[in-house]
Amino acid sequence: MAHTIHLHDPADPRLDDFRNLSTADRRPDRPGGRGFVIAEGTVVVRRLLESAYPVRALLGVQRRIEELTAELAPVDVPAYVTPAQTMADVVGFHLNRGVLAVADRAPQPHAGALIARARTLAVLESVGDHENLGSLFRNAAALGIDGVLLGPGCADPLYRRSVRVSMGNVLRVPFARLEPWPDGLGLLREHGFRVAALTPRPGSVSLREVRELDKVALLVGSEGPGLTEEALAAADLAVRIPMADGVDSLNVATAAAVAFYELGGAR
Amino acid sequence: MAHTIHLHDPADPRLDDFRNLSTADRRPDRPGGRGFVIAEGTVVVRRLLESAYPVRALLGVQRRIEELTAELAPVDVPAYVTPAQTMADVVGFHLNRGVLAVADRAPQPHAGALIARARTLAVLESVGDHENLGSLFRNAAALGIDGVLLGPGCADPLYRRSVRVSMGNVLRVPFARLEPWPDGLGLLREHGFRVAALTPRPGSVSLREVRELDKVALLVGSEGPGLTEEALAAADLAVRIPMADGVDSLNVATAAAVAFYELGGAR
């Protein structure tokens, strides 16, 4: 059971994990130079508590910590309760959501293990924007994608902003690095997947024509330049979203959501 | 033809339309207390130049104004060219995109005129977030929605942040206020539309089951509470996006994109 500890002094060393959150993603003193996994707000804190990441501590105002009583019952971590101003002094800005949790990072599954138990996957190349990446995970969770494979150039899903924008879904949807690139895509084919590149290029087929496909890995590129030639050449087919004439493509996470809707497990 | 004028002094009164952009949406001295229509970046400036809004002036660095030479040829407005630092001093922050245009607001069409020439429409209730609203217009343009009707509580599509997030599509997709609410929805039925409320409620039918519908008005509510009881009761049917179990709904603009994909004119 979590033990509640009331603190008032923002300089208290027990609050060090929560200090200066706006720079908390870079921690040269920690393994890999990466910070803790940080969850903000009750929804995301709940998802962190349900996840495999080892939670270290919570920090919140009284009301928010109380809202989490049931979820904290089986967890043996300190829950620091402070006034809102103390919390703001520690994290470096005023945090509307009123509660935070920090966890250690944990080893990710290998791509092979993730592929073996999936029916529908997303494979990302150079999705370097943390908010787009977070939105992609949110959409993947909602629309029944079983996991995300990260090719080169992708941002870190556990970066604080990605966690927040994903609504904590980076903590629920499993992900793994796929290497080498793009040859690692062969691993998908070995498991019976078809790799479908999402691209507006001429020659791609409408998503509507492939909605009956089973075991699909949807390959998605970065928002501006899209997929590389190498990735496109390594895919089994190219699919597109029918678009109105003369309009730029959708945001990458929105385009992926449309494809997840057609191909994902929530069909 | 636009006339290029080189300026260096940020205090030059000819640059007053561009001053302090971060507060430019509130202009008590202008009609309705609202600011100009402001376009940022070459893509959005192009869309403003193509629109019916009366452009007043452009401000940009040399390279960006040159990129717009063809589009500026038929337009009789001043194009102020300044160094990047002068531009930053005028607008109040450093603007990566290097070019701006301002236009006067213009009367919007009446809902009836918009409905009369449309096949697929979006109808929004209480979409008060400027970024969500901008994203909705971007998705509407990409996926062939003919227009947007704004119910009560919606943000202003011509607010600077909405214009930017929409990639200028608020300047292309026509919109109109729908009043009174929700009785104004009757106007849609008079024109042969069916009003489909997008809602995860029990009893709603999957979008897949209504993809053959012609003349649809998709009714979309705000991200948190969703549509009001009054709006739901006034709709002809309720439709939902099939979601994976236990996951929150999608962002409102993303959910709308999925529905636009099924129901919009880009099918």
Side-chain angles (χ1 to χ4, degrees), chain B residues 60 88 103 123 226:
Chain B
V123 187

Side-chain angles (χ1 to χ4, degrees), chain B:
Chain B
M1 161 123 198
H3 33 291
T4 304
I5 300 166
H6 290 261
L7 299 176
H8 288 81
D9 178 7
D12 193 304
R14 286 172 289 184
L15 299 176
D16 283 354
D17 283 357
F18 299 96
R19 225 166 276 291
N20 302 323
L21 277 196
S22 58
T23 57
D25 286 312
R26 290 182 198 83
R27 287 285 298 260
D29 56 316
R30 303 262 316 153
R34 291 171 158 183
F36 298 120
V37 182
I38 297 168
E40 301 165 74
T42 45
V43 169
V44 183
V45 168
R46 277 196 186 101
R47 289 186 176 158
L48 184 63
L49 289 165
E50 290 160 9
S51 79
Y53 297 97
V55 175
R56 296 165 62 94
L58 282 81
L59 167 62
V61 298
Q62 178 89 32
R63 186 161 75 93
R64 295 295 173 212
I65 295 289
E66 281 171 2
E67 282 173 6
L68 293 162
T69 302
E71 291 86 349
L72 288 173
V75 186
D76 182 27
V77 294
Y80 300 112
V81 175
T82 71
Q85 187 57 50
T86 305
M87 197 169 163
D89 291 342
V90 173
V91 305
F93 50 89
H94 185 75
L95 202 97
N96 311 337
R97 294 195 172 95
V99 64
L100 290 164
V102 294
D104 287 312
R105 287 170 175 257
Q108 297 301 326
H110 288 286
L114 203 164
I115 292 168
R117 60 176 193 257
R119 289 199 83 78
T120 322
L121 290 163
V123 187
L124 312 184
E125 185 190 44
S126 294
V127 177
D129 179 274
H130 288 104
E131 296 197 10
N132 283 342
L133 190 67
S135 298
L136 265 160
F137 272 83
R138 180 180 178 182
N139 299 342
L143 296 163
I145 301 299
D146 300 317
V148 177
L149 296 170
L150 303 170
C154 289
D156 176 5
L158 297 178
Y159 198 86
R160 188 171 68 96
R161 198 144 40 99
S162 299
V163 176
R164 187 178 64 222
V165 172
S166 82
M167 305 280 282
N169 286 301
V170 296
L171 310 171
R172 302 159 46 119
V173 177
F175 60 89
R177 301 274 158 195
L178 188 63
E179 292 168 326
W181 188 260
D183 292 349
L185 293 170
L187 193 58
L188 286 157
R189 271 185 287 270
E190 287 169 24
H191 283 82
F193 278 83
R194 300 200 70 197
V195 178
L198 186 64
T199 171
R201 291 199 169 201
S204 53
V205 300
S206 168
L207 268 181
R208 296 175 202 290
E209 294 174 42
V210 298
R211 60 164 68 113
E212 307 304 336
L213 275 186
D214 194 27
K215 294 199 93 172
V216 182
L218 186 78
L219 181 55
V220 176
S222 68
E223 188 153 344
L227 291 164
T228 61
E229 294 296 333
E230 294 71 29
L232 285 167
D236 297 308
L237 70 161
V239 296
R240 68 181 159 75
I241 299 169
M243 299 263 189
D245 285 348
V247 175
D248 289 321
S249 61
L250 297 164
N251 164 281
V252 61
T254 306
V258 170
F260 294 165
Y261 164 78
E262 278 291 28
L263 304 175
R267 277 179 284 185

